[in-house]
Amino acid sequence: MNLLLVNAISAVFSLVSIGIVVVALRKATEMIRLGRSMAEQIAASSDNLERALAALKAEHDDFRDESRKLDARLEESARAQRDIARSVDLMQRIRIELQGDVRAMRTSISSRNTAATAAPAPARAPEQTPSQAKPSKLPVFVRRTVASASVADNFATYS
């Protein structure tokens, strides 16, 4: 009976070991399936990361191009601002010259009025006309206005 009991216990252990092997194989199969799905997810994630990287590179290039365009616009704006500043300075100089010419005209008119009341006005020389007056640094339209205001006679003495 001893041999029968040993065979029975041996058979039970064999069945238990076969059961353990079956459970281990099922778990190994499940682990292999999970490993494959994880590998697929990693591959999909790396593909998504590569697409995101490509999109970021494209945006970086776009921003670099926009930055270059903005730099060019800033240079153009600075150039325009310098031109405007030069124009404003020129207009200030013209205004100062015009103010000096207006003051000279006023003094000449007042002196002419005082001279006219003191003595009769001498006849104007035919060779000296307002267009033959000494040229000014002022633009043409300003000289015409000053010449038409009959300041040409006294313009040479104050310039």
Side-chain angles (χ1 to χ4, degrees), residues 45-59:
S45 296
S46 66
D47 185 46
N48 288 338
L49 285 174
E50 287 176 1
R51 278 191 267 139
L53 181 64
L56 287 174
K57 283 182 181 179
E59 283 186 28

Side-chain angles (χ1 to χ4, degrees), residues 79-137:
R79 190 177 313 119
Q81 188 176 10
R82 286 191 302 268
D83 290 344
I84 290 171
R86 272 191 244 127
S87 298
V88 167
D89 289 341
L90 177 65
M91 293 304 290
Q92 288 292 338
R93 282 186 275 156
I94 290 173
R95 184 180 63 85
I96 290 170
E97 285 184 24
L98 283 175
Q99 284 178 346
D101 289 346
V102 167
R103 286 186 190 123
M105 182 181 70
R106 285 183 184 156
T107 57
S108 69
I109 290 174
S110 65
S111 67
R112 188 182 298 164
N113 287 341
T114 58
T117 57
R124 179 183 257 186
E127 61 270 352
Q128 188 178 9
T129 60
S131 63
Q132 294 175 351
K134 183 178 176 185
S136 172
K137 294 179 184 177

Side-chain angles (χ1 to χ4, degrees), residues 1-77:
M1 184 136 149
N2 241 348
L3 194 56
L4 189 59
L5 189 59
V6 171
N7 280 339
I9 290 176
S10 170
V12 170
F13 279 143
S14 293
L15 287 174
V16 170
S17 67
I18 289 175
I20 289 174
V21 168
V22 168
V23 170
L25 285 176
R26 282 187 182 171
K27 287 197 178 208
T29 305
E30 187 178 336
M31 288 285 279
I32 290 172
R33 190 171 12 120
L34 287 175
R36 284 182 184 161
S37 71
M38 189 181 288
E40 289 173 0
Q41 288 177 357
I42 289 172
S45 296
S46 66
D47 185 46
N48 288 338
L49 285 174
E50 287 176 1
R51 278 191 267 139
L53 181 64
L56 287 174
K57 283 182 181 179
E59 283 186 28
H60 178 71
D61 292 340
D62 290 345
F63 285 144
R64 191 174 349 153
D65 292 342
E66 286 296 322
S67 175
R68 287 179 185 153
K69 288 178 186 177
L70 287 176
D71 287 342
R73 287 180 185 164
L74 283 174
E75 285 182 25
E76 186 177 331
S77 297

